[in-house]
Amino acid sequence: MHERSIISWMSSDSAGAPPENFLSETELQKLAQMRFPRRRAEWLLGRWTAKRLLAAVEGRDPRAWQVENEADGQPYVQADGERLPGCLSISHRSGQAVCAWTSAPGVALGIDLERIEPRSPAFVRDYFTAAEQVLIAGAARERDAVLVWSAKEAMLKALGRGLRLDTRAVEVLRIANHEEVAGWRGLTVHCPARSELDWWAGWRLAGNFLVTLAVCGQDLDPSTLQVQELRA
C-alpha cells in the first residue's frame, strides 16, 4: 500500500497589508530592488501566504522560514540555514495569492492563479496544442481557455521549468465540472516528453479567479493524494 502524500495549500487577499518584518534580510534586499508598487505588493503577499502555510504545516513562526529562489526562479524553503525537503509553489495576481506545499518525497507540484478574462483566438493558436484547441472550441464557457492556460502554467511549475519551456510541451485533455478531490474539479493532463511521470491535476473557482493545481511523480497514485486547504 502506498503512503499518503499530503498536499497543503492556502489562499490570501490583500485586505490588510502583510508586515515586512516577517522577511529575512535576503528577502528584504530582494523587495528593495523592486521598483513598481504593484509588483512589490503582490510579491510580498505571495511570500506572506507561503510563510503562513509553512507555519501552519510545520508548526513554527512565519519568520522562521526563508523562501529563496533557484537560478531558474523555482522557490524553495530554508530554516536555520538548512534547506527544507519538499516542493513549494506560489502564484499571485491582482491582490490575490495562492501557495501549495508538499514534503512528500518524489512528489512535485505547481499552483497557478488566473483572473477570468477573455483570451484571443491568436493566443489560443500560439500557446495551445491542437487537441487543446479542439477542447476549447467545444467549450460553452469562455473561462475554459483561461483554465487550460492556468493548468499548463501549474504543470510547467511542477516540472520546475515554468514558462521557459514551450507551453505546448504539456497538454490538458479533459476538463471535469464536478468535484473529485477535496473541492477540486478534475483535469486530465500529460507531458509526452516526460512519459515516466504520472499526474493529478484539478481546478476550482475563487470568485473572478481560477486556481489550478498540478501534482506529478513517478508511480504517483492519485488515490493516495490528500489535498487540504489550510487557513491562517
Side-chain angles (χ1 to χ4, degrees), residues 198-210:
D198 297 308
W199 291 86
W200 174 86
W203 69 279
R204 59 194 295 153
L205 284 167
N208 293 324
F209 294 83
L210 285 168

Side-chain angles (χ1 to χ4, degrees), residues 4-7 107 181 200 215 220-227:
R4 295 195 69 81
S5 298
I6 299 176
I7 310 297
V107 176
V181 176
W200 174 86
V215 184
L220 179 71
D221 181 354
S223 68
T224 67
L225 292 178
Q226 179 181 333
V227 183

Side-chain angles (χ1 to χ4, degrees), residues 61 70 146 190 228:
D61 188 283
E70 302 279 13
V146 181
H190 75 148
Q228 58 181 12

Side-chain angles (χ1 to χ4, degrees), residues 151-177:
K152 290 163 84 70
E153 284 222 56
M155 291 180 70
L156 293 173
K157 289 179 180 181
L159 290 172
R161 299 295 303 277
L163 291 176
R164 293 175 303 283
L165 194 66
D166 189 331
T167 58
R168 291 165 294 187
V170 294
E171 191 168 43
V172 179
L173 302 175
R174 178 188 69 100
I175 299 171
N177 291 299

Side-chain angles (χ1 to χ4, degrees), residues 47-172:
R47 285 301 194 272
W48 180 232
T49 307
K51 292 197 176 190
R52 289 193 303 161
L53 175 61
L54 290 162
V57 173
E58 303 292 342
R60 296 178 64 180
D61 188 283
R63 290 168 292 186
W65 308 107
Q66 183 171 323
V67 179
E68 298 289 353
N69 294 91
E70 302 279 13
D72 60 9
Q74 188 175 17
Y76 65 93
V77 184
Q78 288 193 147
D80 301 323
E82 297 290 332
R83 183 163 176 164
L84 190 67
C87 187
L88 176 71
S89 184
I90 304 169
S91 184
H92 39 73
R93 296 282 186 282
S94 304
Q96 305 285 328
V98 291
C99 180
W101 164 259
T102 185
S103 58
V107 176
L109 57 75
I111 196 166
D112 188 67
L113 176 72
E114 296 288 339
R115 179 183 287 277
I116 300 174
E117 55 191 1
R119 299 296 171 113
S120 70
F123 179 90
V124 173
R125 287 194 304 270
D126 287 345
Y127 296 109
F128 290 10
T129 67
E132 289 169 336
Q133 292 180 46
V134 171
L135 184 64
I136 295 304
R141 293 166 298 276
E142 184 180 66
R143 75 179 184 214
D144 285 357
V146 181
L147 175 53
V148 170
W149 172 255
S150 182
K152 290 163 84 70
E153 284 222 56
M155 291 180 70
L156 293 173
K157 289 179 180 181
L159 290 172
R161 299 295 303 277
L163 291 176
R164 293 175 303 283
L165 194 66
D166 189 331
T167 58
R168 291 165 294 187
V170 294
E171 191 168 43
V172 179

